[in-house]
Amino acid sequence: PSQGPALTPAHPLTAMVYTSSGGPPTEGGSPTWSSPAAQEAEANYEHAARGVQGLLAVFSACILFLFFALPLWNSALLLSSVLYTHFLGSGPMIALIASCCSVFFGYVILLKGFFQSLPYKARSAQTVAMLAGAVLTALGLSFMLCGHSLSDRALLSAHQVLADCAFAEPSAELARTSALLYVLRSSPLCAARSSVELCTGYVATPESAVLKVMESDLHCSTFCHKPQVTGAAASALFSPVHLGAPCQAAVARVLEHFVADLGAQTYYQGCMLVLIAVVMSLTKIMGSCSPMPSRPKVLAPDYGATSYGHMG
């Protein structure tokens, strides 16, 4: 059979096809096959996609919070004690808390921009993986830097307390305050009191607060010296209990085996987060380099004996 004339937008048969499909041709002459059912399906898809995006945002924020929950707890614990802040300072703990908050709020802002600015076609799994890898890398590097700094400070302070207690920077003023308080404690009027705080002549200072926390938390007495206590005088400054363990050894033990371990734990947690981000990036690169699977060819729809473009 001979080939018939091509259908044009003005052809009656073409107009019938357009009318049955639910839309007239556009200005460029190309057909529009949208229908109310297709528009409703697209609206339902967008609504379901928004629900999935909200669930993904909440779930990822909870996972991110679990990552830095333990380092935040440890930092708050160290900051709440004047003993640790005296020997370590507050720099590493405040830096860790600030970095965790910055990464969390930065992730929320990026996620909001990701869902609101990018079109649906650009919101692929690879883009989400790239965003997650960047956040994990920033959080891991923060953990590594702050954890390493905290561990180094704890080990250095422990070594100074044991090796040069009376003259080292973090312990020299404590040793002088302890010696003065023991002189006051050894007086007959003060020896009968339950605490040196009740004695005449006692002046509260930041160093005396640190010595009091040492005795109550570490169950020790004396710091960097052995006072000559006679009579009924107690061997502790702020308690009537006789505590024989020296405080410098207890402080060094806590700094070396507790605080330094917390810093090492935070450091290795950061290493694992960076490793996870690297593995995710390598997986993304391998997925981009792999060949796309071949798709079966789908024939154009045929309207009975009439196909779009030709008549035969």
Side-chain angles (χ1 to χ4, degrees):
S2 60
Q3 184 176 2
L7 289 177
T8 61
H11 197 278
L13 192 56
T14 307
M16 181 182 66
V17 173
Y18 288 145
T19 304
S20 62
S21 64
T26 59
E27 296 180 358
S30 58
T32 303
W33 305 101
S34 61
S35 64
Q39 294 176 359
E40 184 180 358
E42 184 178 358
N44 293 334
Y45 172 78
E46 292 181 1
H47 180 72
R50 290 191 183 95
V52 173
Q53 291 168 3
L55 182 62
L56 176 63
V58 173
F59 179 75
S60 58
C62 292
I63 293 297
L64 186 62
F65 177 78
L66 291 177
F67 280 149
F68 55 70
L70 185 59
L72 282 180
W73 176 267
N74 294 333
S75 299
L77 177 65
L78 296 178
L79 284 175
S80 63
S81 176
V82 294
L83 174 63
Y84 299 127
T85 55
H86 177 81
F87 287 97
L88 304 172
S90 58
M93 289 79 79
I94 293 179
L96 183 58
I97 294 175
S99 61
C100 289
C101 295
S102 301
V103 170
F104 181 78
F105 289 112
Y107 172 73
V108 171
I109 294 173
L110 288 177
L111 200 63
K112 184 177 180 180
F114 174 77
F115 286 135
Q116 292 184 354
S117 302
L118 293 180
Y120 283 99
K121 294 182 179 180
R123 302 174 191 174
S124 60
Q126 292 184 348
T127 310
V128 175
M130 180 179 65
L131 178 62
V135 172
L136 290 179
T137 301
L139 190 61
L141 291 177
S142 301
F143 284 177
M144 292 173 64
L145 293 175
C146 297
H148 189 269
S149 176
L150 179 61
S151 181
D152 282 351
R153 289 194 182 191
L155 293 176
L156 178 61
S157 298
H159 175 72
Q160 289 177 341
V161 168
L162 288 178
D164 195 13
C165 181
F167 302 100
E169 181 180 357
S171 58
E173 190 63 30
L174 285 176
R176 287 192 290 268
T177 303
S178 178
L180 292 176
L181 290 179
Y182 268 103
V183 170
L184 178 62
R185 185 65 164 157
S186 61
S187 63
L189 294 178
C190 189
R193 303 295 180 92
S194 60
S195 173
V196 73
E197 294 174 303
L198 304 177
C199 300
T200 304
Y202 172 80
V203 179
T205 60
E207 288 74 20
S208 64
V210 175
L211 293 172
K212 184 177 180 179
V213 172
M214 284 185 190
E215 290 188 0
S216 60
D217 293 352
L218 305 181
H219 303 285
C220 61
S221 63
T222 71
F223 188 78
C224 301
H225 70 289
K226 290 184 179 182
Q228 299 296 328
V229 180
T230 59
S235 60
L237 291 173
F238 302 91
S239 173
V241 181
H242 292 263
L243 302 173
C247 284
Q248 64 269 21
V251 169
R253 182 175 64 251
V254 169
L255 291 176
E256 183 176 357
H257 298 288
F258 176 67
V259 181
D261 287 349
L262 291 182
Q265 181 188 51
T266 306
Y267 175 80
Y268 289 118
Q269 183 178 354
C271 292
M272 292 304 299
L273 291 178
V274 173
L275 181 61
I276 292 173
V278 171
V279 172
M280 290 175 59
S281 301
L282 292 178
T283 306
K284 178 178 176 294
I285 294 174
M286 293 174 62
S288 302
C289 296
S290 61
M292 295 294 293
S294 59
R295 298 181 178 179
K297 295 183 179 180
V298 180
L299 299 177
D302 194 359
Y303 293 89
T306 306
S307 61
Y308 178 75
H310 298 282
M311 292 184 60

